[in-house]
Amino acid sequence: MVFCNTYEPEIFKPYQGLSAQEARKRLGLVVPATLLVYTGNTLTYDFSALFEAISLIDGVVLVLVGVTNKEKMQALAREKGVEDKVILVPRVDRHKVPLYLIAGDILVVPYVSSEPGAFPVKIFEYLAAAKPIISFSSDCIKEALKHRRNAMLIDPPTAENWQKAIVEIIQNPRLAEYLSFEAKKDSLLYTWERRGREIFSFLKKIYEK
């Protein structure tokens, strides 16, 4: 049996009940736009298609949190013509990450080009943030994210497919609300406490045999 990684719900407690607008004010992200948010490593993810997609959509801004390759990301934004639509944020304190997730309207998981079998652990925190999620699709990811139930999975992760998914969520508030509700509910399956109980139950069965 394989037990994957998970997340700690406690990091969300300081922000319980905080609205997206309040979170944006705290972060200085008061922009009149739909906010797409990505948190984590920017070295192994391919942002090209996502950048191309937002160049085709009016009224969206992408916030990348945890950027360590700023010059490369700036150059890519210039190349795709989205310098004014991308906000680059360097690494932040671990406990501040949920604030950025709460501030977002849509949370995104770009393609991991160098790790085709990877499962981005950020997905568990995305679920807990109770926001619509758009992610590339893989067998690993589909174990946690279910297309059109708790997330939108795009396959292949082309600029056109990114654009369609983003626009659909923006134009369909009911879908956004449904995805958010199901994401929050499913996040309870991936806490450290839940994982510990599963491991204990598994070992107990082995011992009893």
Side-chain angles (χ1 to χ4, degrees):
M1 182 173 288
V2 176
F3 292 97
C4 60
N5 212 325
T6 182
Y7 85 104
E8 179 49 63
E10 292 292 322
I11 66 172
F12 282 89
K13 280 194 173 180
Y15 311 111
Q16 194 168 4
L18 195 69
S19 70
Q21 292 302 322
E22 290 169 331
R24 292 186 190 190
K25 286 181 182 178
R26 290 194 190 185
L27 295 168
L29 290 174
V30 185
V31 291
T34 297
L35 218 59
L36 312 182
V37 174
Y38 167 88
T39 60
N41 161 37
T42 55
L43 296 174
T44 56
Y45 289 80
D46 186 348
F47 291 89
S48 298
L50 179 55
F51 280 18
E52 287 179 25
I54 65 174
S55 74
L56 303 172
I57 307 170
D58 292 330
V60 298
V61 170
L62 172 63
V63 181
L64 305 181
V65 184
V67 176
T68 55
N69 55 343
K70 184 178 179 179
E71 291 184 1
K72 181 178 178 180
M73 298 305 291
Q74 286 176 327
L76 180 62
R78 281 194 300 271
E79 177 189 331
K80 302 300 181 182
V82 292
E83 285 180 280
D84 59 339
K85 288 187 170 186
V86 176
I87 298 173
L88 305 179
V89 180
R91 286 179 180 269
V92 299
D93 183 272
R94 181 74 186 83
H95 294 280
K96 198 174 181 180
V97 170
L99 191 57
Y100 281 95
L101 300 180
I102 293 168
D105 294 303
I106 301 172
L107 309 180
V108 297
V109 186
Y111 182 55
V112 187
S113 57
S114 61
E115 301 175 45
F119 183 97
V121 180
K122 63 176 62 52
I123 284 173
F124 299 130
E125 292 182 357
Y126 279 19
L127 289 168
K131 296 297 175 87
I133 300 167
I134 303 177
S135 171
F136 76 98
S137 181
S138 72
D139 289 340
C140 293
I141 286 175
K142 284 189 286 188
E143 291 181 16
L145 298 184
K146 311 300 179 184
H147 183 52
R148 303 191 76 86
R149 193 177 71 77
N150 63 7
M152 297 289 281
L153 298 179
I154 51 178
D155 186 19
T158 60
E160 181 182 6
N161 286 340
W162 270 108
Q163 180 191 14
K164 286 180 180 178
I166 293 168
V167 170
E168 183 173 5
I169 290 176
I170 292 173
Q171 294 181 347
N172 191 340
R174 281 193 176 184
L175 174 62
E177 184 178 357
Y178 175 72
L179 294 175
S180 301
F181 177 82
E182 292 296 322
K184 182 64 175 180
K185 185 175 70 174
D186 288 349
S187 73
L188 301 178
L189 301 173
Y190 303 107
T191 66
W192 281 112
E193 180 179 354
R194 175 68 179 256
R195 184 70 74 242
R197 291 181 184 277
E198 290 174 342
I199 294 172
F200 174 79
S201 177
F202 176 68
L203 294 175
K204 186 171 182 288
K205 288 178 182 178
I206 293 177
Y207 178 77
E208 290 175 346
K209 288 181 180 179

Coordinates of all heavy atoms in Angstrom, one line a residue, residues 23-24 27-31 33-42 47 50-51 54 60-67 73 82-90 92 96-97 99-101 103-110 122 126:
A23 N -8.2 39.2 2.0 CA -6.9 38.6 1.8 C -6.1 39.5 0.9 O -4.9 39.7 1.0 CB -7.0 37.2 1.3
R24 N -6.7 39.9 -0.2 CA -6.0 40.8 -1.2 C -5.6 42.1 -0.6 O -4.5 42.5 -0.9 CB -7.0 41.0 -2.4 CG -7.3 39.8 -3.2 CD -8.1 40.2 -4.5 NE -8.6 39.1 -5.1 CZ -9.2 39.1 -6.3 NH1 -9.3 40.3 -7.0 NH2 -9.6 38.0 -6.9
L27 N -2.5 41.6 1.3 CA -1.3 41.3 0.5 C -1.0 42.4 -0.5 O 0.0 42.3 -1.2 CB -1.6 40.0 -0.3 CG -1.7 38.7 0.5 CD1 -2.3 37.6 -0.4 CD2 -0.4 38.3 1.1
G28 N -1.8 43.4 -0.5 CA -1.6 44.5 -1.4 C -1.9 44.1 -2.9 O -1.2 44.6 -3.8
L29 N -2.8 43.2 -3.0 CA -3.2 42.7 -4.4 C -4.5 43.2 -4.8 O -5.4 42.4 -5.3 CB -3.1 41.2 -4.4 CG -1.8 40.5 -4.3 CD1 -1.9 39.0 -4.2 CD2 -0.9 40.8 -5.5
V30 N -4.8 44.5 -4.5 CA -6.1 45.0 -4.9 C -6.1 45.4 -6.3 O -5.8 46.5 -6.7 CB -6.4 46.2 -4.0 CG1 -7.8 46.7 -4.3 CG2 -6.3 45.9 -2.5
V31 N -6.5 44.4 -7.2 CA -6.5 44.6 -8.6 C -7.9 44.2 -9.1 O -8.5 43.3 -8.7 CB -5.5 43.7 -9.3 CG1 -4.1 44.2 -9.0 CG2 -5.6 42.3 -8.9
A33 N -9.5 42.5 -11.2 CA -9.4 41.4 -12.2 C -9.6 40.1 -11.5 O -9.6 39.9 -10.3 CB -7.9 41.4 -12.7
T34 N -9.9 39.1 -12.3 CA -9.9 37.7 -11.8 C -8.5 37.3 -11.5 O -7.6 37.3 -12.4 CB -10.5 36.7 -12.9 OG1 -11.9 37.1 -13.1 CG2 -10.5 35.3 -12.4
L35 N -8.3 36.8 -10.3 CA -6.9 36.5 -9.8 C -6.7 35.0 -9.9 O -7.4 34.2 -9.3 CB -6.8 36.9 -8.4 CG -5.4 37.5 -8.0 CD1 -5.1 38.7 -8.9 CD2 -5.4 37.9 -6.5
L36 N -5.7 34.6 -10.8 CA -5.3 33.2 -10.8 C -4.0 33.2 -9.9 O -3.2 34.0 -10.0 CB -4.9 32.8 -12.3 CG -5.8 33.2 -13.4 CD1 -5.3 32.7 -14.7 CD2 -7.2 32.6 -13.1
V37 N -3.9 32.1 -9.1 CA -2.8 32.0 -8.2 C -2.1 30.7 -8.3 O -2.8 29.6 -8.4 CB -3.3 32.2 -6.7 CG1 -2.2 31.9 -5.7 CG2 -3.9 33.6 -6.5
Y38 N -0.8 30.7 -8.3 CA 0.0 29.5 -8.3 C 1.0 29.7 -7.1 O 1.6 30.8 -6.9 CB 0.8 29.4 -9.6 CG 2.0 28.3 -9.4 CD1 1.7 27.0 -9.7 CD2 3.2 28.7 -9.0 CE1 2.7 26.0 -9.5 CE2 4.2 27.8 -8.8 CZ 4.0 26.4 -9.1 OH 4.9 25.5 -8.9
T39 N 1.2 28.7 -6.3 CA 2.2 28.7 -5.2 C 3.2 27.6 -5.3 O 2.8 26.4 -5.6 CB 1.5 28.7 -3.8 OG1 0.8 27.4 -3.7 CG2 0.6 29.9 -3.6
G40 N 4.4 27.8 -5.1 CA 5.4 26.8 -5.1 C 6.6 27.0 -6.0 O 6.8 28.1 -6.5
N41 N 7.3 25.9 -6.2 CA 8.5 25.9 -7.1 C 8.1 26.3 -8.5 O 7.2 25.9 -9.1 CB 9.0 24.5 -7.1 CG 10.0 24.2 -8.2 OD1 10.7 25.1 -8.6 ND2 9.9 23.0 -8.7
T42 N 8.9 27.2 -9.1 CA 8.7 27.7 -10.5 C 9.8 27.1 -11.4 O 9.9 27.6 -12.6 CB 8.7 29.2 -10.6 OG1 9.8 29.8 -10.0 CG2 7.4 29.7 -9.8
F47 N 5.3 27.1 -17.7 CA 4.3 28.1 -17.7 C 3.9 28.7 -19.0 O 3.1 29.6 -19.1 CB 4.7 29.3 -16.7 CG 4.8 28.9 -15.3 CD1 6.0 28.3 -14.8 CD2 3.7 29.1 -14.5 CE1 6.0 28.0 -13.4 CE2 3.8 28.7 -13.1 CZ 4.9 28.2 -12.6
L50 N 0.2 28.4 -20.1 CA -0.6 29.2 -19.2 C -0.5 30.7 -19.6 O -1.5 31.5 -19.6 CB -0.3 29.0 -17.8 CG -1.1 29.7 -16.7 CD1 -2.6 29.6 -16.9 CD2 -0.6 29.3 -15.3
F51 N 0.7 31.2 -19.8 CA 1.0 32.6 -20.2 C 0.3 32.9 -21.5 O -0.3 34.0 -21.6 CB 2.5 32.8 -20.3 CG 3.2 33.0 -19.0 CD1 2.6 32.7 -17.8 CD2 4.4 33.6 -18.9 CE1 3.3 32.9 -16.5 CE2 5.1 33.9 -17.7 CZ 4.5 33.5 -16.5
I54 N -3.5 33.3 -20.8 CA -4.0 34.6 -20.2 C -3.8 35.8 -21.1 O -4.5 36.8 -20.9 CB -3.3 34.8 -18.8 CG1 -1.8 35.1 -19.0 CG2 -3.6 33.7 -17.9 CD1 -1.2 35.5 -17.7
V60 N -7.8 39.2 -16.4 CA -7.2 38.2 -15.5 C -5.8 38.6 -15.2 O -5.1 39.2 -16.0 CB -7.3 36.8 -16.2 CG1 -8.7 36.3 -16.4 CG2 -6.4 36.7 -17.4
V61 N -5.4 38.3 -14.0 CA -4.0 38.5 -13.6 C -3.6 37.2 -12.9 O -4.3 36.6 -12.1 CB -3.9 39.7 -12.6 CG1 -2.6 39.7 -11.9 CG2 -4.2 41.0 -13.2
L62 N -2.3 36.8 -13.2 CA -1.7 35.6 -12.6 C -0.7 36.0 -11.6 O 0.2 36.7 -11.9 CB -1.1 34.7 -13.8 CG -0.3 33.5 -13.3 CD1 -1.1 32.5 -12.6 CD2 0.4 32.9 -14.5
V63 N -0.8 35.4 -10.4 CA 0.1 35.7 -9.3 C 0.9 34.4 -9.1 O 0.3 33.3 -8.8 CB -0.6 36.1 -8.0 CG1 0.5 36.4 -6.9 CG2 -1.4 37.3 -8.2
L64 N 2.2 34.5 -9.3 CA 3.1 33.3 -9.0 C 3.8 33.6 -7.7 O 4.6 34.5 -7.6 CB 4.1 33.2 -10.2 CG 3.5 33.0 -11.6 CD1 4.7 32.9 -12.6 CD2 2.6 31.9 -11.7
V65 N 3.6 32.7 -6.7 CA 4.2 32.8 -5.4 C 5.3 31.8 -5.2 O 5.0 30.6 -5.3 CB 3.1 32.7 -4.3 CG1 3.7 33.0 -2.9 CG2 2.0 33.7 -4.6
G66 N 6.5 32.2 -4.9 CA 7.6 31.3 -4.6 C 8.6 31.3 -5.8 O 9.4 30.4 -5.9
V67 N 8.7 32.4 -6.5 CA 9.5 32.5 -7.7 C 11.0 32.7 -7.3 O 11.4 33.5 -6.5 CB 9.1 33.7 -8.5 CG1 10.1 33.9 -9.7 CG2 7.7 33.6 -9.0
M73 N 11.4 34.1 -15.7 CA 9.9 34.3 -15.7 C 9.5 35.6 -16.3 O 8.6 35.7 -17.1 CB 9.3 34.1 -14.3 CG 9.6 32.8 -13.7 SD 9.0 31.4 -14.6 CE 7.2 31.6 -14.6
V82 N 2.6 39.2 -21.7 CA 1.7 39.3 -20.5 C 2.4 39.9 -19.3 O 2.1 39.6 -18.2 CB 1.2 37.9 -20.2 CG1 0.2 37.4 -21.2 CG2 2.3 36.9 -19.9
E83 N 3.4 40.8 -19.6 CA 4.1 41.4 -18.5 C 3.2 42.1 -17.5 O 3.4 42.1 -16.3 CB 5.1 42.4 -19.0 CG 6.4 41.8 -19.6 CD 7.3 42.9 -20.2 OE1 7.1 43.4 -21.3 OE2 8.3 43.2 -19.4
D84 N 2.1 42.7 -18.0 CA 1.2 43.5 -17.2 C 0.1 42.6 -16.6 O -0.7 43.0 -15.8 CB 0.5 44.6 -18.0 CG -0.3 44.0 -19.2 OD1 0.0 42.9 -19.6 OD2 -1.2 44.7 -19.7
K85 N 0.2 41.3 -16.9 CA -0.8 40.3 -16.3 C -0.2 39.3 -15.4 O -0.9 38.4 -14.9 CB -1.5 39.6 -17.5 CG -2.4 40.4 -18.3 CD -3.2 39.5 -19.3 CE -4.3 40.3 -20.0 NZ -5.1 39.4 -20.8
V86 N 1.1 39.4 -15.1 CA 1.8 38.4 -14.3 C 2.5 39.2 -13.1 O 3.2 40.1 -13.3 CB 2.8 37.6 -15.1 CG1 3.6 36.7 -14.1 CG2 2.1 36.8 -16.2
I87 N 2.2 38.7 -11.9 CA 2.8 39.3 -10.7 C 3.7 38.2 -10.1 O 3.3 37.1 -9.8 CB 1.8 39.7 -9.7 CG1 0.9 40.8 -10.2 CG2 2.4 40.2 -8.4 CD1 -0.3 41.2 -9.3
L88 N 5.0 38.5 -10.0 CA 6.0 37.6 -9.5 C 6.3 37.9 -8.0 O 6.7 39.0 -7.7 CB 7.3 37.6 -10.3 CG 7.1 37.4 -11.8 CD1 8.5 37.5 -12.5 CD2 6.5 36.0 -12.1
V89 N 6.1 36.9 -7.2 CA 6.3 37.0 -5.7 C 7.4 36.0 -5.3 O 7.3 34.8 -5.6 CB 5.0 36.7 -4.9 CG1 5.3 36.9 -3.4 CG2 3.9 37.6 -5.4
P90 N 8.5 36.5 -4.7 CA 9.5 35.6 -4.2 C 9.0 34.7 -3.1 O 7.8 34.7 -2.7 CB 10.6 36.5 -3.7 CG 9.9 37.8 -3.3 CD 8.7 37.9 -4.3
V92 N 7.9 33.1 0.2 CA 7.3 33.8 1.4 C 7.3 32.8 2.6 O 7.5 31.6 2.4 CB 5.8 34.2 1.1 CG1 5.8 35.2 0.0 CG2 4.9 33.0 0.8
K96 N 2.3 31.9 5.3 CA 1.6 33.0 4.6 C 1.0 32.5 3.3 O 0.2 33.1 2.7 CB 2.6 34.1 4.3 CG 2.0 35.4 3.9 CD 3.0 36.5 3.7 CE 2.4 37.9 3.4 NZ 3.4 38.9 3.2
V97 N 1.4 31.3 2.9 CA 0.9 30.7 1.6 C -0.6 30.6 1.6 O -1.2 31.0 0.6 CB 1.5 29.3 1.4 CG1 0.8 28.6 0.2 CG2 3.0 29.4 1.1
L99 N -2.8 32.5 2.7 CA -3.4 33.8 2.5 C -3.4 34.1 1.0 O -4.4 34.7 0.5 CB -2.5 34.9 3.2 CG -3.1 36.3 3.3 CD1 -4.4 36.3 3.9 CD2 -2.1 37.2 4.0
Y100 N -2.4 33.7 0.2 CA -2.4 33.9 -1.2 C -3.5 33.0 -1.9 O -4.1 33.4 -2.8 CB -1.0 33.6 -1.8 CG 0.0 34.7 -1.6 CD1 0.8 34.7 -0.6 CD2 0.0 35.7 -2.6 CE1 1.7 35.7 -0.4 CE2 0.9 36.8 -2.4 CZ 1.8 36.8 -1.3 OH 2.7 37.8 -1.2
L101 N -3.7 31.8 -1.3 CA -4.7 30.9 -1.9 C -6.1 31.4 -1.7 O -6.9 31.4 -2.6 CB -4.5 29.5 -1.2 CG -3.2 28.8 -1.4 CD1 -3.2 27.4 -0.7 CD2 -2.9 28.6 -2.9
A103 N -6.8 34.5 -1.4 CA -7.0 35.7 -2.2 C -7.3 35.4 -3.7 O -7.9 36.3 -4.4 CB -5.7 36.5 -2.2
G104 N -7.0 34.2 -4.1 CA -7.2 33.9 -5.5 C -8.7 33.5 -5.8 O -9.5 33.1 -5.0
D105 N -9.0 33.7 -7.1 CA -10.3 33.2 -7.6 C -10.2 31.8 -8.2 O -11.2 31.1 -8.1 CB -10.8 34.2 -8.7 CG -11.1 35.6 -8.2 OD1 -11.9 35.7 -7.2 OD2 -10.5 36.6 -8.6
I106 N -9.1 31.5 -8.8 CA -8.8 30.2 -9.4 C -7.4 29.9 -9.1 O -6.5 30.7 -9.2 CB -9.0 30.3 -10.9 CG1 -10.4 30.7 -11.3 CG2 -8.7 28.9 -11.6 CD1 -10.6 30.9 -12.8
L107 N -7.2 28.6 -8.7 CA -5.8 28.1 -8.4 C -5.4 27.2 -9.5 O -6.1 26.4 -10.0 CB -5.8 27.4 -7.0 CG -6.5 28.1 -5.9 CD1 -6.4 27.3 -4.6 CD2 -5.8 29.5 -5.6
V108 N -4.1 27.4 -9.9 CA -3.6 26.7 -11.1 C -2.4 25.8 -10.8 O -1.6 26.1 -10.0 CB -3.3 27.7 -12.2 CG1 -4.6 28.4 -12.7 CG2 -2.2 28.6 -11.8
V109 N -2.4 24.7 -11.6 CA -1.2 23.7 -11.5 C -0.7 23.5 -12.9 O -1.3 22.7 -13.7 CB -1.6 22.4 -10.9 CG1 -0.4 21.5 -10.7 CG2 -2.3 22.5 -9.6
P110 N 0.3 24.3 -13.4 CA 0.8 24.1 -14.7 C 1.5 22.7 -14.9 O 1.8 22.0 -13.9 CB 1.8 25.2 -14.9 CG 1.5 26.1 -13.8 CD 1.0 25.3 -12.7
K122 N 1.1 20.6 -3.6 CA 0.3 21.8 -3.4 C -1.1 21.6 -3.6 O -2.0 22.3 -3.1 CB 0.8 22.9 -4.4 CG 0.7 22.6 -5.9 CD 1.0 23.7 -6.8 CE 2.5 24.1 -6.7 NZ 3.5 23.1 -6.8
Y126 N -4.5 23.4 -2.1 CA -5.4 24.0 -3.0 C -6.8 23.6 -2.7 O -7.8 24.3 -2.6 CB -5.1 23.6 -4.5 CG -4.0 24.4 -5.1 CD1 -3.1 25.1 -4.4 CD2 -3.9 24.4 -6.5 CE1 -2.0 25.8 -5.1 CE2 -2.9 25.1 -7.2 CZ -2.0 25.8 -6.5 OH -1.0 26.5 -7.1

